[in-house]
Amino acid sequence: MCGRFVDPNLQSAGIDASWLKLDPFSGWTVRFNVKPTQDVVLITPNNEPRIARWWFIPSWHVGSVSDWKATTFNARIEDAADKPTFRPAWKNGRCLLPMRGYYEWSGEKGDRQPNFIQSAGNEELLFCAALASRWNDLLTVTMMTRAANESVKGIHHRMPVILNTDERDIWLSGERAVSDLGQNVQLIHHRVNRILRDDDGPDLIEPAV
């Protein structure tokens, strides 16, 4: 699973995010420790940014937010199309989840070490395949994952579905046969210092000392 990432700099991708607000009292600020249930930015097929809660709730859910117990901040691209939770969004809710990079933990239980993973090229942003669902008045989103490729499988057996430019169009078009998306992305990683739940700031992505 991917459960922590770094906010994107949307201006670097030419996306107007000046109007975005994460809460009523502050404008858009880059966070270096984004967690499930927090507000994140997604990009619609029309290249428009939207704010959504990072923990998918299907539109048909009856009850409160807290009543939804399933772990749905990630969804497997291999089988999401056939799962009742994600099936409607697979058809009508595809979007992109931009990020600067993400964290994954490696090592033995009790001595897990965080790693920061980012593009191996000149691109500052990673665009991940995602599914959005509007539940009541709340827009929610899940990040698609796939089997890890060669560049990160030494860290973890799963990774986000990170799309190149052509793959973004394929994903957003609604095609079903997309299980091979993201397999050729090249990523680099380095160990970082331990991250507590509420830690934040650019020092989190610096190499461990």
Side-chain angles (χ1 to χ4, degrees):
M1 286 188 176
C2 175
R4 302 287 180 91
F5 69 86
V6 177
D7 272 328
N9 177 358
L10 294 179
Q11 291 181 344
S12 70
I15 298 170
D16 179 15
S18 60
W19 60 271
L20 290 174
K21 293 186 180 298
L22 293 175
D23 62 60
F25 308 104
S26 67
W28 176 255
T29 56
V30 173
R31 299 162 297 174
F32 289 80
N33 186 15
V34 182
K35 298 173 283 292
T37 74
Q38 290 187 320
D39 285 342
V40 299
V41 173
L42 60 79
I43 306 298
T44 71
N46 295 326
N47 202 39
E48 296 175 346
R50 293 284 184 270
I51 289 181
R53 178 181 185 267
W54 184 25
W55 195 302
F56 188 97
I57 301 176
S59 60
W60 46 258
H61 170 60
V62 177
S64 67
V65 170
S66 60
D67 290 333
W68 180 254
K69 303 299 185 182
T71 303
T72 48
F73 57 86
N74 287 165
R76 291 166 51 93
I77 198 169
E78 297 93 338
D79 53 23
D82 299 317
K83 290 186 175 294
T85 296
F86 302 115
R87 190 182 299 138
W90 182 272
K91 296 178 180 178
N92 301 305
R94 296 193 190 188
C95 58
L96 302 174
L97 188 61
M99 64 175 69
R100 178 173 173 180
Y102 69 99
Y103 300 99
E104 198 60 79
W105 276 253
S106 61
E108 299 298 325
K109 186 176 181 180
D111 189 30
R112 304 282 284 170
Q113 181 76 31
N115 302 269
F116 180 61
I117 303 170
Q118 61 187 322
S119 171
N122 295 323
E123 304 87 356
E124 182 177 336
L125 296 188
L126 304 175
F127 287 89
C128 304
L131 296 175
S133 169
R134 187 166 292 281
W135 173 76
N136 294 339
D137 294 328
L138 179 66
L139 187 63
T140 68
V141 67
T142 186
M143 181 191 302
M144 309 306 295
T145 67
R146 55 159 291 124
N149 67 16
E150 292 294 329
S151 64
V152 293
K153 72 177 186 179
I155 300 295
H156 197 270
H157 68 284
R158 302 289 294 179
M159 65 182 288
V161 179
I162 300 169
L163 308 173
N164 62 34
T165 302
D166 293 337
E167 290 177 328
R168 292 170 214 161
D169 292 335
I170 293 171
W171 170 250
L172 295 174
S173 71
E175 293 187 26
R176 180 181 173 89
V178 293
S179 59
D180 62 340
L181 293 182
Q183 65 182 358
N184 295 319
V185 64
Q186 294 300 306
L187 303 170
I188 55 175
H189 51 82
H190 59 264
R191 288 194 171 189
V192 295
N193 292 316
R194 295 189 182 278
I195 302 172
L196 300 180
R197 184 184 186 281
D198 296 323
D199 286 347
D200 204 352
D203 57 306
L204 295 188
I205 65 173
E206 295 297 322
V209 295

